[in-house]
Amino acid sequence: MPLYDGKKFAQEGLLQVAQHCAQAALHAPQLIGKTEIKMEIVAGEELENYFHVQDAANKLGARLTGETYKLAYTMGEPPVLLLIGADVTPIVEAPCRTACPAGIDVPRYIRLIGDGKYDQAVAVVREKVPLPSVCAYVCHAPCETKCRRGILRDDPIAIEALKRFAVDHAKNMDFSKSSTKATGKRVAIIGSGPAGLTAAYYLRKVCGHAVTIFEALSQPGGMMRVGIPQYRLPREIFDKEIAAIKELGVEIKLNSKQKSLDKLSQQGYDAIFVSIGAHHDTSLGVSGQDSPGVIECLSFLRDLNLGKEVKVGHRVAVVGGGNAAMDAARAALRLGAKGVSILYRRTRADMPAYSGNVEQALREGVKIEFQTTVSKIKSVKNELEVECVRTELRPADANGRPLPVPVEGSEFGMRVDTVIVATGQSPEVPSEFGLSLGEENTIQVDPNTHATDREGVFAGGDAVTGPASVIEAIAAGRKAASWIDQYLGGLGIIDEVLAPPEQVPEVSPAQEALGRVGGDPEKPQIPLLPVEQALSGFDKVEVGLAEQEALVETTRCLKCDQVGFDCGACGFKTCREAVINCRNRLIETGGEPWGWLMKGPSCIWRAMELGISIDWAAAAAHRLNVESRIGMIPATAFLRMGYMESCTLITVLPLGPCKERWYFAPGSGREDYRSAEMERKSVMLQYPPLWMRFTGPGRDLGRRGINVKDRWWEPPYTRIEIVEDDDWGDSVLDRDYAIFAAADEIRKKKKVRRLNLPRIKEILDGKKKR
């Protein structure tokens, strides 16, 4: 039978295998539709990563399969390895969690709220966000736009309102104690906005570095302090969270604007994080923009939020359509303006402002003139005459937004006391920083590491992206902290476990509340202050949910993080129990890719979809007359090296000139090396081993009385039964640690999430016989 050149196959045949694999995923028994099959190709020099791990294991007496990979590679005819994998745990990646830039486990904290465990719900949020109250009050909730309840049935879950309910009702939110030993390294952070505070929190508390924040303003908080009015973010809540970060030992120096990075380096700082935000207003660019009474939006909000006296008169025009424009308009009403108009050159659908902010502005009496732009401003007898023109929208510009064009003959004017210009923001980066800048004066960084082109200098938040959301800045601060720690010699592991292991209550308070209400609940309306009361000051407008409303609302969750069959095949009565057990185990082990060492439930349905995809891919390779063999042990090594991120089970399908032929006879439980016989029959792989699809406790299916055609769970398949934790020999544990250590070197080289080797060693040593 002819051999295929690995390189040639990669070019000509791999697509067909991938298509078969994808087709299998589509035709798998997708009653759940929640298993994402992933594929990744490993070829060429990247194979050396596997050989490195293989050698580390072999030195301690282990034998990882794949010697033929190395043989073909050294002969100059490297094979192509197709990695096929999926997450087969009972925990499904819910759309709401995926949509969160910080990766907050939304279904979990909703579940805990329903159980009446508000402290634990806040702890889950804080595991990813060190400013949970700020997040609860001002996050624009991208999670709600992806909520399946809103897509499939009626309205999305009130996720943001539930989070706010939890932080308002939690009795213990003190998670500020640090147990990390000091490293002796020093980090300077320029800017105390959401990105800077987040990075400071993790670098100090989790990584043990000394952190100093330099803030140019007189109060900490960045744009959260000076850009968001108090009616959206009460200052007493915000101040508590900043105080908690300071209690960790983070030093915040106020009125300390920095103009030179070199001076900070000379002061002994080992790394610098630039998170200066985007505090520079974009000019209007029309005649009369410098007239008295024309003010910049950020300057207006900054003075207002820092307690300075601000006067706007009775008539105000705000130019722009973002959140700053909405905040300025609503603030102007509270300062005594009788009429406020927003002039925006596109339609409401094109507005960058959050819909809730727009709706509340309209509710409070703000008028919005859509498809209107300003052409000139004139000062007339202590008033401002604003000349406007209507616009029509042309096809999208380079930014993907409709291009507004003035309509001839549509001019009109209005007289106002004040014009607030809110047409955009950009960072103000001192030239002395010596950093490369891009469009809108943003700092250029490596998107993977947040490193700038200066050694030891990182940047994140609005200074890099331009004006964005608080939660996006927090996510940037998290990522930057991880890479700064790695730069300083750490592992970059900043994950925290703050919530205790979850328990399943016999009866949840949410179910009891639903029983009292009865029927199919609807999404609650968030209570707001009456308009007259809201405009009388700067008290928070959103009152929040009552306890019964919050508990009932949690029952509307479709539990997208669970398969939902409650079949019991994984060994647990319900999917919720399986999810909780698996989540607790992941927390216990630090979420590392343990492979066979991690004894936890597998979902029979999710594993089945992966198995069918593997079957089809192998069949396609067979039809192409390519010598192939499914490999599980090499797959575990690739998993540990950081390939196939988020997968918990992967397999390797080697394609190309591997000098061995394998045959698997269904029902025999044997993989035999029969090169001559199989070459005569032109058969290499008739069927991949069934146990690949039914690993873990899921293989107890037949034992539990569920009717299956074949008794495939009986011997000889028990030869690969997952062993009990205490049955591993000490030498095997040492070999496994060697594999982890070698794999971590690969992760470091690939610049992906590092392994927590100290934690892994602690767990493996704990399994040794004493």
Side-chain angles (χ1 to χ4, degrees):
M1 191 180 80
L3 291 174
Y4 264 62
D5 175 83
K7 301 170 187 174
K8 183 178 179 182
F9 182 85
Q11 297 170 355
E12 299 177 358
L14 192 57
L15 179 61
Q16 184 174 344
V17 177
Q19 287 174 336
H20 274 74
C21 186
Q23 192 74 3
L26 291 175
H27 288 83
Q30 287 202 331
L31 300 175
I32 54 172
K34 297 178 180 179
T35 305
E36 181 183 359
I37 310 298
K38 294 186 177 182
M39 290 175 286
E40 189 170 343
I41 298 166
V42 181
E45 294 181 0
E46 208 167 17
L47 287 167
E48 293 181 359
N49 290 340
Y50 177 75
F51 303 150
H52 177 72
V53 175
Q54 187 181 43
D55 290 343
N58 290 349
K59 287 178 182 178
L60 292 179
R63 283 292 175 265
L64 294 188
T65 55
E67 289 294 337
T68 53
Y69 308 167
K70 184 183 292 187
L71 177 61
Y73 183 82
T74 55
M75 290 175 63
E77 295 293 338
V80 175
L81 303 185
L82 179 62
L83 309 183
I84 308 171
D87 178 8
V88 298
T89 66
I91 306 174
V92 180
E93 192 76 356
C96 54
R97 181 177 184 180
T98 303
C100 176
I104 298 173
D105 193 344
V106 177
R108 187 176 170 209
Y109 78 69
I110 289 179
R111 194 163 60 230
L112 288 167
I113 292 172
D115 292 345
K117 300 174 181 178
Y118 309 137
D119 291 3
Q120 293 184 27
V122 175
V124 169
V125 176
R126 191 154 196 166
E127 286 177 350
K128 298 294 184 181
V129 174
L131 305 166
S133 296
V134 171
C135 182
Y137 272 80
V138 299
C139 181
H140 65 296
C143 49
E144 292 189 20
T145 64
K146 298 296 182 181
C147 175
R148 278 205 180 104
R149 176 90 190 203
I151 295 171
L152 300 176
R153 295 185 62 177
D154 39 41
D155 296 310
I157 306 301
I159 298 173
E160 187 68 3
L162 286 172
K163 191 193 308 174
R164 182 177 301 189
F165 170 83
V167 300
D168 286 345
H169 289 77
K171 296 179 180 179
N172 178 22
M173 291 177 57
D174 183 14
F175 305 105
S176 58
K177 295 179 181 178
S178 176
S179 58
T180 307
K181 292 183 179 179
T183 63
K185 301 291 186 178
R186 301 175 66 205
V187 181
I189 296 178
I190 306 176
S192 63
L197 289 172
T198 299
Y201 173 90
Y202 288 110
L203 288 169
R204 176 59 186 157
K205 181 184 180 187
V206 182
C207 304
H209 308 306
V211 179
T212 302
I213 299 178
F214 296 90
E215 172 55 56
L217 297 173
S218 59
Q219 296 181 45
M223 194 62 78
M224 295 181 294
R225 170 80 62 184
V226 300
I228 302 176
Q230 294 189 43
Y231 58 79
R232 286 181 57 204
L233 180 58
R235 292 302 180 258
E236 62 273 14
I237 292 174
F238 184 33
D239 290 337
K240 283 182 180 179
E241 302 213 315
I242 292 181
I245 293 175
K246 292 173 69 174
E247 286 177 12
L248 295 172
V250 173
E251 182 182 9
I252 302 180
K253 294 186 176 182
L254 303 175
N255 300 306
S256 301
K257 188 171 184 177
Q258 300 298 304
K259 294 185 178 180
S260 171
L261 302 182
D262 293 331
K263 288 184 178 179
L264 289 176
S265 298
Q266 292 166 7
Q267 292 173 30
Y269 290 101
D270 302 289
I272 300 171
F273 180 53
V274 181
S275 56
I276 57 176
H279 291 254
H280 179 68
D281 283 283
T282 303
S283 67
L284 190 55
V286 300
S287 174
Q289 67 178 7
D290 296 324
S291 302
V294 179
I295 59 178
E296 296 176 333
C297 180
L298 294 184
S299 298
F300 165 71
L301 290 174
R302 184 183 304 116
D303 290 346
L304 173 69
N305 289 315
L306 290 178
K308 297 180 180 180
E309 184 179 2
V310 180
K311 295 180 180 181
V312 294
H314 293 295
R315 296 164 299 171
V316 177
V318 180
V319 186
N323 289 298
M326 299 301 142
D327 288 338
R330 297 175 66 188
L333 288 174
R334 287 162 171 77
L335 291 173
K338 303 302 181 184
V340 177
S341 296
I342 290 177
L343 309 178
Y344 180 59
R345 57 183 182 164
R346 295 185 176 91
T347 67
R348 177 168 178 175
D350 300 311
M351 270 189 156
Y354 306 144
S355 60
N357 214 359
V358 177
E359 289 165 6
Q360 291 195 29
L362 291 170
R363 171 181 175 267
E364 292 173 359
V366 174
K367 295 180 180 179
I368 304 180
E369 294 282 353
F370 294 105
Q371 291 187 248
T372 300
T373 189
V374 175
S375 58
K376 185 187 290 187
I377 301 174
K378 291 192 297 185
S379 182
V380 181
K381 295 181 180 179
N382 297 322
E383 293 182 331
L384 293 172
E385 187 175 291
V386 183
E387 294 186 8
C388 305
V389 61
R390 301 293 183 186
T391 63
E392 62 180 5
L393 300 182
R394 299 285 176 82
D397 58 16
N399 295 322
R401 303 176 69 192
L403 184 65
V405 178
V407 176
E408 188 175 348
S410 65
E411 295 83 359
F412 70 98
M414 62 172 62
R415 291 204 172 190
V416 297
D417 300 304
T418 303
V419 173
I420 301 175
V421 181
T423 52
Q425 305 153 227
S426 63
E428 200 167 11
V429 184
S431 59
E432 294 87 347
F433 279 11
L435 300 175
S436 296
L437 305 180
E439 295 182 4
E440 303 296 333
N441 215 40
T442 54
I443 301 172
Q444 299 295 288
V445 299
D446 181 327
N448 295 317
T449 65
H450 282 270
T452 68
D453 53 3
R454 286 194 57 166
E455 179 71 19
V457 178
F458 299 76
D462 289 359
V464 171
T465 62
S469 65
V470 170
I471 189 65
E472 288 171 302
I474 288 173
R478 277 183 57 87
K479 190 174 181 180
S482 174
W483 285 102
I484 291 171
D485 181 53
Q486 290 190 54
Y487 173 77
L488 297 176
L491 294 173
I493 297 173
I494 62 172
D495 296 329
E496 291 189 285
V497 177
L498 302 176
E502 194 175 345
Q503 304 294 326
V504 182
E506 293 185 8
V507 180
S508 73
Q511 291 300 324
E512 292 178 339
L514 181 62
R516 291 191 295 270
V517 173
D520 190 11
E522 297 180 352
K523 183 178 181 179
Q525 294 294 319
I526 308 302
L528 304 174
L529 285 180
V531 172
E532 184 177 353
Q533 183 180 351
L535 297 182
S536 66
F538 284 83
D539 292 339
K540 66 177 181 180
V541 175
E542 294 187 8
V543 178
L545 299 175
E547 186 169 33
Q548 177 154 301
E549 287 179 310
L551 291 172
V552 171
E553 179 63 4
T554 66
T555 67
R556 294 180 61 245
C557 178
L558 298 182
K559 303 174 180 61
C560 298
D561 63 330
Q562 305 170 23
V563 172
F565 283 174
D566 293 343
C567 68
C570 63
F572 295 91
K573 292 181 181 179
T574 65
C575 289
R576 175 177 179 177
E577 290 180 53
V579 166
I580 290 176
N581 178 276
C582 190
R583 173 64 61 197
N584 291 344
R585 184 60 190 267
L586 287 170
I587 291 172
E588 174 192 337
T589 60
E592 302 294 358
W594 293 92
W596 291 342
L597 273 182
M598 179 179 171
K599 184 181 180 184
S602 297
C603 175
I604 196 80
W605 304 103
R606 303 187 77 198
M608 186 184 299
E609 291 178 345
L610 172 60
I612 291 176
S613 294
I614 295 168
D615 289 352
W616 282 45
H622 175 63
R623 276 196 293 274
L624 288 168
N625 289 327
V626 177
E627 298 185 70
S628 56
R629 176 188 178 225
I630 292 288
M632 278 289 284
I633 296 178
T636 302
F638 279 109
L639 193 70
R640 295 178 181 180
M641 284 188 281
Y643 291 83
M644 304 295 284
E645 189 178 2
S646 78
C647 292
T648 56
L649 177 64
I650 66 172
T651 58
V652 175
L653 184 60
L655 309 166
C658 298
K659 303 297 182 181
E660 66 181 5
R661 299 168 176 80
W662 291 79
Y663 175 74
F664 178 79
S668 71
R670 299 172 59 196
E671 295 179 38
D672 292 337
Y673 182 65
R674 307 179 186 175
S675 57
E677 180 184 350
M678 291 305 104
E679 187 170 3
R680 287 196 300 271
K681 293 183 178 181
S682 296
V683 174
M684 280 73 60
L685 181 67
Q686 186 167 332
Y687 203 79
L690 216 67
W691 50 263
M692 265 177 221
R693 294 185 292 177
F694 302 105
T695 56
R699 289 183 294 103
D700 291 343
L701 193 65
R703 299 176 189 174
R704 296 181 177 278
I706 299 175
N707 186 31
V708 292
K709 184 176 181 181
D710 300 314
R711 298 180 65 81
W712 47 263
W713 62 88
E714 291 185 347
Y717 292 102
T718 51
R719 64 188 171 88
I720 52 86
E721 183 75 52
I722 297 178
V723 299
E724 294 295 331
D725 287 349
D726 297 334
D727 289 344
W728 292 97
D730 290 357
S731 60
V732 174
L733 294 169
D734 289 336
R735 293 173 196 168
D736 208 67
Y737 180 77
I739 294 173
F740 275 117
D744 186 62
E745 292 181 31
I746 305 301
R747 284 175 172 255
K748 184 177 181 180
K749 182 175 70 174
K750 290 178 61 182
K751 292 187 176 181
V752 298
R753 184 180 186 272
R754 297 285 299 280
L755 295 174
N756 192 342
L757 290 179
R759 176 63 174 156
I760 290 173
K761 183 169 179 57
E762 178 187 346
I763 292 175
L764 293 178
D765 286 348
K767 297 178 183 293
K768 291 184 177 180
K769 296 178 180 179
R770 302 189 183 277

